[in-house]
C-alpha cells in the first residue's frame, strides 16, 4: 500500500476532514520523507522534536531511525491517531500550541511545519537552540530564510535567522507531495547553529532590523534616519563610513548590519546619558 493510500485510509477511519486553518496537509511522498530523514543524520537514541506531527507520516520515519520522538501537536484527534498508530513506540505526544507549550529536551528538530506558524516557531527554536533542524516550509519563506545579501528575497527574516544559524535550502517540494495539496509549493531547509554569533547586542539588533528593513531598498543613510525617528524620535549623527551609507539596506551582509547596529546602539546610549 502506498503512503497516499494509507493516509486516505487513516483519515477515513477516524473521520478526519483536514483542517486548512491548522495547515493539515500530510506529506505523502516517500522520496521527500527519506531525504528529510537522511539530511537530519539521525542516530538511534537521539531525542527528536517534531512539530505538528499530524497522523504521523514523518513520525514513522523518525521512529524507524531509532529516535526518541517528542511530537507537539495542536489537534487532540491527531494525538489519538499517533498513539494508536505507534503503540509502545519511543514516542511522547504533547497536545498543545508549539509556539506556546513548554518545550521538552531535544537534540534535533525534524518537522513538516504548519505554514501558519513558520516565523514564530522558527525564532522560538533558534533562540532555544538545537544541534540541527530540518524543516519543511512554504517555499517563499524558505527562500527568504536562506537568502543572500543583494537578492530579491533578502529580508529581515534572512538576517535575523542568519544571526543564529546557517540556513541551507536542501530541496524544492511540489505541492503534490502533500495530501490534500496546499495552494503553495514547499521547500526543505536545514538549519545549523552558527559556531560564533555576530558581535552585536541581540535584542537591540532585532529592533534595529525591524526598524530598517521596511526601507530595505533605500540607502542606509536614508533608512537610518527613518529608523532613528522610529526608534528614538530624534535626528541622527553617526560615525559610519560613507561607502556603507551609500549602499542599499538589502545589499548589506548580516556582519555589516551588525556593525551599524552597534554604532547606533552606542550613539543611542551616549545620547541618552
Ligand atoms: N507532519 C505531518 C503533518 C503536517 S500537517 C505530515 O507531514 O504528514 C501540520 C500539522 O501541524 C497538523 O497536524 C496540524 O494540526 C498541526 N498544527 C497546526 N498548528 C499547530 C501548532 N500551533 N502547534 C502544533 N501543531 C500544530
Amino acid at each position: 500500500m502506498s503512503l497516499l493510500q494509507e493516509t486516505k485510509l487513516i483519515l477515513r477511519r477516524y473521520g478526519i476532514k483536514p483542517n486548512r486553518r491548522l495547515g493539515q496537509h500530510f506529506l505523502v511522498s516517500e522520496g521527500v520523507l527519506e531525504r528529510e530523514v537522511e539530511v537530519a543524520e539521525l542516530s538511534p537514541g537521539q531525542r527528536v522534536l517534531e512539530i505538528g506531527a499530524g497522523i504521523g507520516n514523518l513520525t514513522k520515519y523518525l521512529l524507524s531511525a531509532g529516535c526518541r520522538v517528542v511530537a507537539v501537536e495542536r489537534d487532540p484527534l491527531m494525538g489519538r491517531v499517533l498513539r494508536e498508530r505507534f503503540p509502545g513506540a519511543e514516542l511522547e505526544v504533547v497536545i498543545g500550541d508549539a509556539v506556546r507549550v513548554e518545550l521538552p529536551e531535544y537534540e534535533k528538530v525534524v518537522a513538516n511545519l504548519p505554514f501558519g506558524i513558520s516565523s514564530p516557531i522558527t525564532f522560538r527554536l533558534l533562540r532555544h537552540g538545537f544541534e540541527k533542524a530540518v524543516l519543511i516550509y512554504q517555499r517563499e519563506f524558505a527562500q527568504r530564510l536562506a537568502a543572500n545579501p543583494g537578492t530579491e528575497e533578502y529580508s529581515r527574516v534572512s538576517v535575523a535567522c542568519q544571526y543564529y544559524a546557517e540556513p541551507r535550502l536542501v530541496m524544492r517540494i511540489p505541492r503534490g507531495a502533500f495530501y490534500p495539496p496546499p495552494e503553495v509549493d514547499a521547500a526543505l531547509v536545514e538549519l545549523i547553529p552558527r559556531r560564533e554569533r555576530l558581535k552585536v547586542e541581540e535584542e537591540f539588533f532585532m529592533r534595529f532590523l525591524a526598524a530598517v528593513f521596511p526601507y530595505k531598498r533605500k540607502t542606509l543613510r536614508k533608512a537610518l534616519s527613518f529608523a532613528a525617528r522610529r526608534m528614538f524620535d530624534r535626528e541622527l549623527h553617526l560615525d559610519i563610513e560613507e561607502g556603507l551609507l551609500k549602499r542599499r539596506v538589502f545589499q548589506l551582509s548580516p556582519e555589516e548590519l551588525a556593525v551599524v547596529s552597534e554604532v547606533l546602539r552606542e550613539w543611542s546610549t551616549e545620547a541618552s546619558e
Side-chain angles (χ1 to χ4, degrees), residues 166-179:
E166 287 175 26
R168 182 170 72 91
L169 234 152
V170 178
M171 74 185 291
R172 296 149 69 91
I173 304 171
R175 60 195 82 181
F178 303 88
Y179 179 83

Side-chain angles (χ1 to χ4, degrees), residues 19 21-28 33 36 50-59 72-75 78 94 96-100 111-115 117 121 136 178:
N19 180 333
R21 209 174 40 78
L22 286 180
Q24 290 179 350
H25 303 281
F26 307 105
L27 201 45
V28 291
L33 285 159
E36 182 164 16
E50 187 186 354
I51 311 275
I55 60 171
N57 287 1
L58 171 60
T59 320
V72 180
E73 169 56 58
R74 180 124 191 210
D75 185 343
M78 298 294 160
V94 176
D97 177 353
V99 178
R100 277 165 239 277
N112 166 20
L113 294 174
F115 295 160
I117 61 167
I121 194 62
I136 294 177
F178 303 88

Side-chain angles (χ1 to χ4, degrees), residues 175-196:
R175 60 195 82 181
F178 303 88
Y179 179 83
E183 273 159 24
V184 289
D185 294 315
L188 183 63
V189 174
E190 171 193 77
L191 297 171
I192 296 179
R194 284 175 83 115
R195 232 176 270 157
E196 254 178 79

Side-chain angles (χ1 to χ4, degrees), residues 1 19 33 41 45 65 76 83 94 98 120 129-130 132 144 146 150-151 155 187 191 231 269:
M1 187 167 31
N19 180 333
L33 285 159
E41 298 180 296
R83 289 190 201 99
V94 176
F130 48 75
K132 184 189 238 192
R144 282 203 281 140
T151 63
S155 51
L191 297 171
M231 292 173 86
T269 49

Side-chain angles (χ1 to χ4, degrees), residues 13 28 40-41 80 98 145 147 176 179 212 234 237 240 251:
R13 188 179 306 146
V28 291
E41 298 180 296
R80 212 186 109 206
L145 283 184
Y179 179 83
V212 292
R234 63 173 189 265
H237 303 280
I240 293 173
Q251 295 169 326

